[in-house]
Structures are given as structure tokens and as C-alpha cells.
Amino acid sequence: MKRGGLLLVLLLLVAAVSGCISPSGTPTTTPSQSLTTTSSTPSPTTTTTQAPPEEPELPAGNYTPIYTGTGKSCPSGRVPVKFTYNPGNKTVKSVSLRGSFNDWGEWPMKLENGTWELTVCLRPGRYEYKYFINGQWVKDMSDDGTGRPYDPDADDYAPDGYGGKNAVRIVKGSTTFYVEFDPADPAYLSIADNRTVVRLEAKRGTVESAVLVTNHGNYTMKLQVWWDFGEVWRTEAPFEEMKYYILINSPDGERFAVLNTSDNPFFSFDGVDRFPQLGWVSNGITYQIFPDRFNNGNKSNDVLALDHDELILNQVNPGQPILSNWSDPITPLHCCHQYFGGDIKGITEKLDYLQSLGVTIIYLNPISLSGSAHGYDTYDYYRLDPKFGTEEELREFLNEAHKRGIRVIFDFVPNHCGIGNPAFLDVWKKGNESPYWDWFFIKQWPFKLGDGNAYVGWWGFGSLPKLNTSNPEVREYLIGAAVHWIKFGFDGIRVDVPNEVLDPETFFPELREAVKEEKPDAYLVGEIWTLSPEWVKGDRFDSLMNYALGRDILLNYAKGLLSGESAMKLMGRYYASYGENVVAMGFNLVDSHDTSRVLTDLGGGSLGDTPSDESIQRLKLLSTLLYTLPGTPVTFQGDERGLLGDKGHYDEQRYPIQWDKANKDVLNHYRALAELRRGTPALRSSAIRFYTAEGGMMAFFRGHNNEVLVVANSWKKSASLELPQGEWKVIWPEDYSPSDPLSGTIEVPPISVIILERG
């Protein structure tokens, strides 16, 4: 049997199981329209006297229909797997499924007739997972406390690395061929850069060509990204109402039509953008500020940090906070209770400096009244912490930032508060007589403030009591606070640990609706560290903190730990998972207040050390990649000055910026990157397409017409690259020696990035 016939047989066997392919391989009618006329880019809108046909025509000749519309069980190549949990007599308010199949993100389960359930579509393989019940991880999935397993259908158990056990599921089936397309998911259909982007996922190497067939015309799909077992094909169409389907040709000449249903074969797009891309984010450059450690503009408010610090209230782990001079050494309290006096006025004083870096977005760590230097133990969500200044100074800062074209987003902490929160203090005093009793999860009363055994706290910390966000009063309080600061003048919100908030599938849509009603172009970012596309489908966040891109992929590539091919495959899975509109709004960072500084991660040393030349070169490589990918590049304060800091040493990455010191080479590099990005529209577009990868080198296109080529080499030896057809000119670095125009083969120096533009 020839390979094409074998492919078709395997496809039919796989799809017959999942119910995605019609038993008939031939359409009931024969259309006259040929599929030879195609376009790779959307045609410009033109005035015409002839209206387009209401529907496209199905292809002539034999083909295999693949139905992916309503009523399908799972996409071809995936198997429905049901997870259940019966709590018996236990009081359970929420259960989520977290495992290796969703990068340990959170998939809420639903209560049906006393049992929590969720059915998901998984590819064949072995998966480990746990349940997340009432905001807490299950310790041992094999024993729910009664000797029974949490999930009766688990196939096995495995150590979780923390003294407990994960459950294991073995999913059987074949992955010989699959096609995935769901226009309700922005990963497959989105509006990006005012274009309708349609994408199709398929098994690697099983698609020779693909065409988007619409009632307005046909559009050639091109291979965009790939990884070990899959690939994505992409095209653009005009942003308008259309009916369509996708025609695929296999390498062996077989044809497949990706259709909606047998009764209604065409997909329909109504021309409405329900998940708008925020252009100010896509075009922006972001800078993160940790206020207490950025700049001290008003020394008179420094001492105000000491009168409401959490250590003063804590009855289990009491202590005394300290107020230090700007250049004082780090103490064991540095993380949380050593104050240096940074404030809002200090940020205002540095706005011109930030503007010189090309910054257009500032992300502020928490500034609400709290009991620590980091601010994640909120006391009053509606009040500016006086240690940071007055509301008048805050309003002046926002006004001055906006005058310079800089927008500001603030940090919001809905999962937990601080022990100085008035509602929690009322519970501490009155027990269940307090009207706020149901705002928290109290295990025993009376209790001592700071006793993590008496009530539920974030990760068991008694200083961070968990909020019951399933309580309507708590929701009203929190969402009201978010809207309050948006009304005050902020432009967006970064949400702390949203995956730990109870009932996130209803809380965050409510938050989004309220915020967007007040300011439609407000930016909502969730602190999710893993590849988790379920959070950015249009009902919760615009973007996630993309550690999954910055730390998991780019950092390891810049270290030289990943080859170009390995890094590109991981990037392929990343870009396949998110809508192009989401990618265009990506909050792309490598380090933050929660990690070691990037230069330290790259081998530059700890605070006070002198970084090596190689670590500086690797920082330049990594930051250049960050500035050339879709989304907004995020710089943690001081990285642009070559600062060092090891998280393992009392969070020394948060040490105050010493403004009289800077690595001028690094500072000039970041300023040049801002100019590069500002002057190269393709680098601010939503479009990315892989070119090639080999050894330590990888290369990808940017722009809707592949007009820019970014080439990186993280290894210590030079690499050779065969340029795409045509002539190219180098736009980065400026001192690249070969003369323009370039064609044929070029040399890529060690630990470097070359950016070329079509001549």
C-alpha cells in the first residue's frame, strides 16, 4: 500500500473513533469553483457593485471531510477523559483539575449531582495530576482521608516531590494524524492588527499545503510554527463577515476539507471582534517598578512605613521593621520589612529617564496600604499607603506620565490580604459574631494574629489570610477597589496569583466586565507562570506574565542550555497555544521582583560583583530577542543598568537602584533597542513565522510580509545561515561589517543577534 493510502486509512480509523469524519468521502454535490486562485495576504477593501456570494463552494472531486463543529466529541487525535471527585459529607466549595496536561494550571470542575466532574480531551500518553480543593492542594491523591482515592478512575500514583502523591492517568489511542480547528478559540481565529487571522494545527509533516476558502475569495495558508509533533498553518483575511472552510493537501496528494458539521458545512464569522487587541500594549515598552526601592523623592514620608508594619501586629512571629538609608547593607529583613524610602514622588522625578529608555508602560508593584515593603499583604484596598506619599502626589505622577505618553498599571491582590485588614481584625476580635466571618476561612477561634494553623493563609503563611472570593460581599469589595483605581487614572491591572483565587471562572469575568465597562482599553494581566491559554480566551485576561516564554525558553536559550532547534520547538508550542491577538499583547518578561535578576541568572554574579563580558553579551542577546518578539518587552527596574541580585540572598534583586552607578554599555544597549523597536514597525506587529534553526542558531520572520528576519546564535562558535531569497540589509547591530545588500550565506557571530530587513 502506498503511503498516501496508509495515511488515509489511519486518518479514518482515528476519526471514526472520535466521530469527527463523515463515513462518506465524497460530497453530495459537485461544485464548479476551482481552488487554484489563492492569495497569501488579505486584499485591500475595494468598492464593488457585485456582492460576494453568500457561501463558498465545496471542492470538486474526491476529498475527506473532517468535521470539527458543534457536536464533536474531541478533535481528531484526542480522547475524552473524565475526572471525578465525590466529597461525601465534606463541605467543598471549589475543585480544580491541575496536571501535566495543562502545565499544572487550573481547570475548574463542576458539581453534578453531588460529584465534581470535568471531561477534557487529551492526546494519548501518560499524565500526572492533582485536585485543588477549596484553594488548597491535595496532599495524597491516593487517600482522601477515608482510605479511598480522590479519583476512583486513576490508573496509578507517583511521588509529587513534596512528600505527597500525584494521581496518574494512562490515555490510550493513536496520534498518527490529527487536525485541530476551533474558531471559538482565539488560538485558531482572532483579530490581530485589524486582520482576521485563521490558523490550523496539524500533526507535524502531514500537510503539504492548505487554503482558507471563503465567500470573498481564497487565501493561501503558510506553515507558521512547529514543534516535535505538531505545526500551525496560518493566513490572514480581511476583517469582515465571512463564511469559510479549510482545504488541506497531504504530501501524498490526499485532500481533506475541515468543515463545521455535515448539515452545516461552513464556518461563519460575523465580523465582530469580541476580544480586542490593545494597540498601546502591542506597540509599547514596559518597565516594572518596585516602589520602595526605586527612588526616594520625599524623605519626610519614610518613617510612616514603620507604624503599620505587619511585624508589629503579628503575635506569633513578632519583630521590629527597620528604616535604612538608601545605600545601607541588606539585612535578613530585606525582603519584606527593611524600608528604604522609595515613593511616588521619586518615580515622578525619574519619568524623563524612563522616557529616554522608550518606556510607554509602567507596572507598579502594590501601592495600597499594607504591612510590608512588597505590599502583597493589603490592609486597605482603597487607600494609598502613606509611606509612598499622598493621593495628590499619585495624581500628579499619573498626569505627568500621561503627558509623556506613558500608561500605568497597578498591582492587585484579590486572593489574600494582610492581618491588618480591618475586616480580618474584626474577625480576630469578635469571632463568628463579626459580619466579616465568612470573608475568611477560620479553622479555630480565638486565634493569634499570624497563626497560620488557625485560618487558611496563602501557602500557609499566617501573615496572608486567604479571602473567600466566592462570598458576594468580598467580590463587591475587591472588584469595587479595582474599578476605584481605574477611575482614579490607572490604565490597567496586574493580578497577583489568580490561579489561587476561589471560583476564578466567575470572579475574573466579573472583574473584566466591570473594569472594561469603566475603561474599555484597560489592560488586564494575570500572574500565571506556566503555559496556560485557558486564562486568555477573551473572558478573563488580555495577557499573562509570560514567564513561560521569558524564563522557560528564552533565558535557557540565552544561557546556552537550549539549542536553537530546541528553543524554537518550545516557542512553537507557545505560539500555537495563544491567539495572535493575545500574543500581540504579551507581557513578556524574564525576571521580576520574584526572581533573581536576569544578569545574575546569566552568570554575572551577585550584588556587588563585576559581571563578566560573556554574561553581558548574553544579556544583550536575551534582551534583543525580548524586544523583537510580539508583545511588550518588560524590564525589571535596574536591569537596563546592569544590576545584579540573587533571590536566594534575602531577595537582593530588590535592592535599591544606586543611581550614581550604571554599566553605560548596557544602558546604551537598552536605549538602542527602544529606537530599533520604535523605528521598525514589523517588530511591533502581531505576526511571527519561523524560518530555520540549527546548532545554537535560530531565525524567525517578523511582520505580515516576512519583511524582517531575526537571527540569534547563543553558542560560543560562529554559525552560518543561508538567507531567504532576495536581498537583505542589516539593521542590527549597526556595526555589522559586511556591506549591504546581502544575499546567500552570512556568518552569525557567537552569542549575538543579527536583524535584517528586506532590501
Side-chain angles (χ1 to χ4, degrees), residues 115-313:
T115 299
W116 294 85
E117 301 178 351
L118 181 65
T119 299
V120 298
C121 298
L122 299 177
R123 292 193 180 94
R126 179 185 181 277
Y127 301 95
E128 294 188 17
Y129 63 99
K130 266 192 177 181
Y131 291 158
F132 192 69
I133 301 176
N134 290 341
Q136 299 289 309
W137 289 97
V138 164
K139 179 70 173 177
D140 183 350
M141 283 290 289
S142 68
D143 186 354
D144 67 356
T146 67
R148 298 178 303 174
Y150 279 89
D151 184 356
D153 297 318
D155 295 310
D156 198 359
Y157 302 93
D160 64 2
Y162 298 95
K165 290 182 180 179
N166 295 328
V168 175
R169 281 291 189 95
I170 307 297
V171 180
K172 298 180 180 179
S174 171
T175 57
T176 303
F177 180 87
Y178 74 87
V179 170
E180 290 194 21
F181 179 72
D182 179 4
D185 186 337
Y188 300 98
L189 188 147
S190 65
I191 308 303
D193 292 356
N194 203 35
R195 306 155 191 249
T196 303
V197 176
V198 179
R199 306 199 305 168
L200 172 85
E201 180 180 330
K203 181 173 174 61
R204 183 85 171 108
T206 60
V207 175
E208 178 70 24
S209 63
V211 177
L212 174 69
V213 183
T214 82
N215 57 324
H216 298 286
N218 305 334
Y219 301 92
T220 300
M221 304 186 80
K222 292 184 178 181
L223 178 61
Q224 182 193 15
V225 299
W226 58 81
W227 57 101
D228 284 322
F229 59 84
E231 61 190 27
V232 168
W233 289 71
R234 173 193 182 277
T235 193
E236 300 174 355
F239 177 23
E240 59 187 352
E241 183 179 353
M242 67 178 180
K243 290 190 175 181
Y244 64 96
Y245 67 93
I246 299 172
L247 186 66
I248 297 174
N249 292 304
S250 78
D252 299 286
E254 304 289 345
R255 288 204 303 171
F256 307 97
V258 180
L259 305 171
N260 184 24
T261 67
S262 57
D263 295 331
N264 184 21
F266 304 120
F267 300 100
S268 181
F269 173 55
D270 62 7
V272 177
D273 186 2
R274 293 178 175 82
F275 189 3
Q277 171 189 345
L278 302 176
W280 65 268
V281 176
S282 302
N283 288 288
I285 294 174
T286 301
Y287 192 88
Q288 180 190 349
I289 292 178
F290 194 89
D292 182 66
R293 314 291 169 78
F294 182 67
N295 187 44
N296 191 344
N298 182 1
K299 293 186 178 182
S300 68
N301 57 32
D302 296 0
V303 71
L304 299 180
L306 303 180
D307 61 5
H308 52 275
D309 185 86
E310 175 259 325
L311 294 181
I312 299 172
L313 295 175

Side-chain angles (χ1 to χ4, degrees), residues 2 22 26 40 107 113 138 263 301 318 414 417 433 447 466 493 556 561 621 647 730:
K2 73 185 185 77
S22 164
T26 309
S40 60
W107 287 348
N113 300 319
V138 164
D263 295 331
N301 57 32
C417 64
E433 296 297 319
F447 58 79
K466 184 177 178 65
I493 303 173
N556 285 318
L561 300 179
L621 180 149
K647 178 174 174 57
V730 174

Side-chain angles (χ1 to χ4, degrees), residues 513-699:
E513 182 179 3
V515 170
K516 294 285 187 176
E517 183 177 355
E518 179 61 34
K519 183 173 288 189
D521 68 343
Y523 183 40
L524 296 176
V525 182
E527 186 208 6
I528 301 291
W529 287 56
T530 58
L531 186 71
S532 304
E534 66 273 15
W535 290 93
V536 281
K537 301 292 188 183
D539 62 338
R540 302 187 193 182
F541 297 109
D542 296 312
S543 179
L544 307 179
M545 295 186 77
N546 290 328
Y547 291 105
L549 174 66
R551 290 193 72 79
D552 296 350
I553 304 174
L554 300 180
L555 176 59
N556 285 318
Y557 172 70
K559 286 180 177 180
L561 300 179
L562 288 176
S563 68
E565 184 178 14
S566 296
M568 183 166 275
K569 287 178 179 178
L570 291 171
M571 289 171 62
R573 198 71 199 95
Y574 174 88
Y575 286 113
S577 300
Y578 295 111
E580 189 160 307
N581 58 334
V582 174
V583 165
M585 296 185 286
F587 195 83
N588 300 336
L589 77 169
V590 179
D591 64 336
S592 71
H593 64 290
D594 282 329
T595 72
S596 293
R597 284 195 176 272
V598 60
L599 188 53
T600 294
D601 283 328
L602 292 170
S606 299
L607 185 67
D609 292 340
T610 300
S612 64
D613 291 342
E614 181 179 327
S615 67
I616 294 293
Q617 282 302 109
R618 294 192 180 278
L619 174 63
K620 289 182 177 181
L621 180 149
L622 179 51
S623 54
T624 303
L625 285 176
L626 208 62
Y627 273 66
T628 57
L629 290 170
T632 176
V634 183
T635 300
F636 179 47
Q637 62 177 47
D639 282 350
E640 80 284 358
R641 304 174 72 83
L643 298 193
L644 296 160
D646 183 357
K647 178 174 174 57
H649 182 231
Y650 304 123
D651 281 319
E652 70 177 21
Q653 77 276 7
R654 303 176 183 177
Y655 189 69
I657 296 177
Q658 303 302 303
W659 289 101
D660 58 342
K661 300 175 183 177
N663 183 310
K664 295 296 180 64
D665 181 35
V666 172
L667 185 58
N668 291 335
H669 167 78
Y670 273 84
R671 285 176 171 152
L673 283 178
E675 289 297 324
L676 170 72
R677 186 175 170 86
R678 181 165 38 237
T680 313
L683 298 181
R684 305 193 307 273
S685 74
S686 65
I688 183 172
R689 180 170 172 246
F690 290 174
Y691 176 53
T692 189
E694 183 179 359
M697 180 194 66
M698 65 174 175

Side-chain angles (χ1 to χ4, degrees), residues 477-518:
Y477 172 74
L478 291 170
I479 294 175
V483 173
H484 167 78
W485 291 113
I486 291 294
K487 287 181 177 179
F488 190 90
F490 283 91
D491 303 287
I493 303 173
R494 179 266 192 187
V495 177
D496 186 63
V497 293
N499 56 311
E500 313 229 8
V501 171
L502 289 183
D503 202 16
E505 70 274 15
T506 60
F507 180 87
F508 290 108
E510 287 181 25
L511 174 68
R512 182 181 183 86
E513 182 179 3
V515 170
K516 294 285 187 176
E517 183 177 355
E518 179 61 34

